[in-house]
C-alpha cells in the first residue's frame, strides 16, 4: 500500500473512497448527517461506516487531536482492507496531525503474514492525502510534505521492527539477527560490527555468555553505527535481544513461556531506530548495540547459585536464571560505554513482568537518575503515539539487590518494585560519568500484544521506535 501527498484540492483527486473523520460537533453540521444517521452511525471514537453508493467512508473521533486521529486512521484502513477498493483520499486535519494520520494508515495496515499459506490479499493500493485542510486553514505545503515524509519513514521502520519481533525463535536466532543488521547496514550506509562468542570471551562479557551458553544458537553482540557529517550529538541505544526466553533452569511455567519470542523486542526496536535515523538523515551520531542470546536449558546451562563476573569486573550472584535480560544488558551497557563516548545512553528491554503490574500493559516504564532528562524525554515523546511513565529509584529498594556473597544479586529479596530493582541492578554497570545521561526503558508491557489496541493488531508493536525518533529529532531543535 502506497501513501501519496498531493498539493491539490481534494475535489481534484480521483479515488474510490473519500475518508471523513467526524467529531460530534462536525457531524452535527455535516451535509451527510441525515443519510449517515440512517445507517446508525454515531461519531464516537473509531465508529465506522461506509456508504458504497456515494463512495464515502466515515469514522468518528473524540476530537481532532493526534491520538484520536491516529487510531481512527488505523480503524479505517483495517476495515477498508476487507472490501475491494483500490484507493482512498482524505484531507488534512490540522498540519500538526499529518504524522499521526500517516502512522495510523501505515501501522493499521500492517499484518503479519509470514507463516500463513494463504496471504490475506488486499486490493487497497493507495491512500492519497490532499494538502487541503478540512477547516480551510492554509498551510505551507513544504511543511506538510516534511511531516508526511518523516512520518512515513518512522512508521515504516516501526513496522520493520514489528515484523522482526513476530518471527519465531527458530527463524530469528542471534545469528539471523546479526545478518539482518548487516543487511540493514549495507542498504542504509551504516557500519556494522558483530562479535561472536570468541570475541565476547575476549571482551570479558561473561554474564552475557553465561545466559546464552545452553543454546545451540550462540550469542552475538551487534554494533551498528550511523555517522552523519554534521552530527550535533552522539547517542548510544542498547537493546535486549533474547531471541527466546525459556527462563533457563529457573524454567518459566508453560503458559508464561508462550510469547517469549518477543523478548528480543528491545533489540528489534534498536534495529528499527537505526533504520529510521539513517533514512531521516538526522544530524545525530547514533550507535545501536544489541545483545542477542537465547536463554535455554541443557547440561551447560548457567545456574542459580553461580557467581558471574561481568565485563566491568563486578560480580553477580545468580539466584534466578529467568532474570537473564539484566545480565546481558550489564555486559552490553558496559561494552557500549567503553566503546563510544556518548551524550546519552538509552536501553530498551522487555525486562520485567513487574513493569506491566506497575504501569499497565500499554505504557513503557522509564527509569534513570536524571529528572531533567526524564522531563526532556517526556516532552519530546508526548505526541509520539507511545505512552511513557516514569518510575522512581530509591535507596530502600536498592538494598534489596544486595548479595551476601557477591557485589550484587540478579533478583531482589522482596517481591514488590521489580521493575525498579531491575533498573537499579543495571545501574551497577553505568559509569559515574554516564549516570545522568542514562535512561532505561522497560517495554515489557507495550512491546507485544495478543489483542488489538490503538493502531496495533496481534503481535509486535514496535514499542520504543517512534518515541526515540522523536527524542532524537528534538536534539536538533534544541540547537535552533
Ligand atoms: N523477559 C522476561 C520479562 C517479561 C515478562 C517480559 C513478561 C514480557 C512479558 C524477563 O526475562 C523475566 O523473566 N523477568 C522476570 C524477573 C524475575 C525472575 C525477577 C519476571 O518478570 O518475572
Ligand atoms: Zn527471563
Ligand atoms: Zn527475558
Amino acid at each position: 500500500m502506497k501513501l501519496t501527498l498531493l498539493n491539490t484540492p481534494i475535489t481534484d483527486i480521483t479515488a474510490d473512497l473519500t475518508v471523513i473523520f467526524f467529531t460530534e460537533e462536525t457531524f452535527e453540521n455535516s451535509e451527510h448527517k441525515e443519510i449517515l444517521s440512517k445507517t446508525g452511525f454515531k461519531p464516537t471514537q473509531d465508529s465506522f461506516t461506509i456508504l458504497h453508493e456515494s463512495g464515502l467512508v466515515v469514522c468518528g473521533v473524540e476530537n481532532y487531536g493526534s491520538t484520536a486521529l491516529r487510531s481512527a486512521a488505523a480503524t479505517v484502513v483495517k476495515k477498508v482492507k476487507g472490501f475491494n477498493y483500490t484507493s482512498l483520499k482524505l484531507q488534512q486535519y490540522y498540519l500538526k496531525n499529518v504524522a499521526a494520520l500517516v502512522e495510523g494508515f501505515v501501522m493499521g495496515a500492517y499484518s503479519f503474514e509470514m507463516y500463513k499459506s494463504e496471504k490475506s490479499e488486499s486490493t487497497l493500493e493507495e491512500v492519497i492525502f490532499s494538502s487541503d485542510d478540512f477547516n480551510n486553514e492554509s498551510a505551507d505545503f513544504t511543511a506538510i510534505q516534511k511531516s508526511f515524509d518523516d512520518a512515513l519513514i518512522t512508521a515504516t521502520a516501526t513496522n520493520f521492527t514489528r515484523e522482526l519481533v513476530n518471527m519465531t525463535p527458530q527463524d530469528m536466532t542471534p545469528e539471523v539477527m546479526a545478518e539482518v543488521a548487516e543487511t540493514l547496514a549495507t542498504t542504509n550506509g551504516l557500519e556494522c560490527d558483530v562479535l561472536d562468542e570468541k570475541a565476547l570471551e575476549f571482551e570479558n562479557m561473561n554474564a552475557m555468555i553465561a545466559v546464552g551458553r545452553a543454546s545451540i544458537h550462540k550469542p552475538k553482540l551487534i554494533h551498528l553505527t550511523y555517522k552523519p557529517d554534521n552530527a550535533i550529538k552522539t547517542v548510544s541505544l542498547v537493546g535486549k535481544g533474547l531471541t527466546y526466553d525459556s527462563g533457563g533452569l529457573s524454567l518459566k511455567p508453560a503458559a508464561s513461556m508462550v510469547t517469549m519470542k518477543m523478548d528480543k523486542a528491545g533489540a528489534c526496536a534498536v534495529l528499527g531506530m537505526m533504520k529510521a535515523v539513517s533514512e531521516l538523515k538526522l544530524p545525530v551520531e547514533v550507535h545501536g548495540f544489541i545483545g542477542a542470546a537465547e536463554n535455554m536449558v541443557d547440561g551447560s546451562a548457567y545456574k542459580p547459585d553461580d557467581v558471574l563476573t561481568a565485563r566491568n569486573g563486578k560480580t553477580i550472584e545468580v539466584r534466578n536464571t529467568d532474570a537473564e535480560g539484566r545480565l546481558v544488558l550489564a555486559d552490553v551497557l558496559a561494552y557500549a560505554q567503553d566503546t563510544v563516548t556518548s551524550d546519552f545512553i538509552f536501553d530498551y528491554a522487555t525486562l520485567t513482568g513487574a513493569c506491566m503490574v506497575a504501569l499497565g500493559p500499554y505504557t513503557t516504564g522509564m527509569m534513570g537518575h536524571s529528572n531533567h532528562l526524564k522531563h526532556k524525554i517526556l516532552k519530546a515523546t508526548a505526541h509520539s503515539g507511545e505512552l511513557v511513565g516514569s518510575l522512581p529509584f530509591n535507596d530502600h529498594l536498592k538494598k534489596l539487590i544486595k548479595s551476601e556473597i557477591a557485589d550484587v544479586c540478579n533478583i531482589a529479596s522482596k517481591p514488590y518494585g521489580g521493575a525498579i530493582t531491575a533498573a537499579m541492578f543495571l545501574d551497577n554497570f553505568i559509569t559515574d560519568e554516564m549516570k545522568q545521561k542514562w535512561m532505561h526503558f522497560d517495554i515489557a508491557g507495550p512491546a507485544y500484544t495478543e489483542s488489538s489496541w490503538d493502531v496495533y493488531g496481534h503481535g509486535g508493536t514496535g514499542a520504543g521506535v517512534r518515541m526515540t525518533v522523536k527524542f532524537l529529532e528534538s536534539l536538533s531543535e534544541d540547537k535552533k
Side-chain angles (χ1 to χ4, degrees), residues 327-339:
L327 301 174
V328 171
L329 285 178
D331 276 342
V332 182
L333 281 165
Y335 180 84
Q337 292 164 97
D338 291 343
T339 318

Side-chain angles (χ1 to χ4, degrees), residues 240 245 263 324 350:
K240 169 179 172 181
D245 181 12
D263 216 17
E324 84 299 334
T350 45

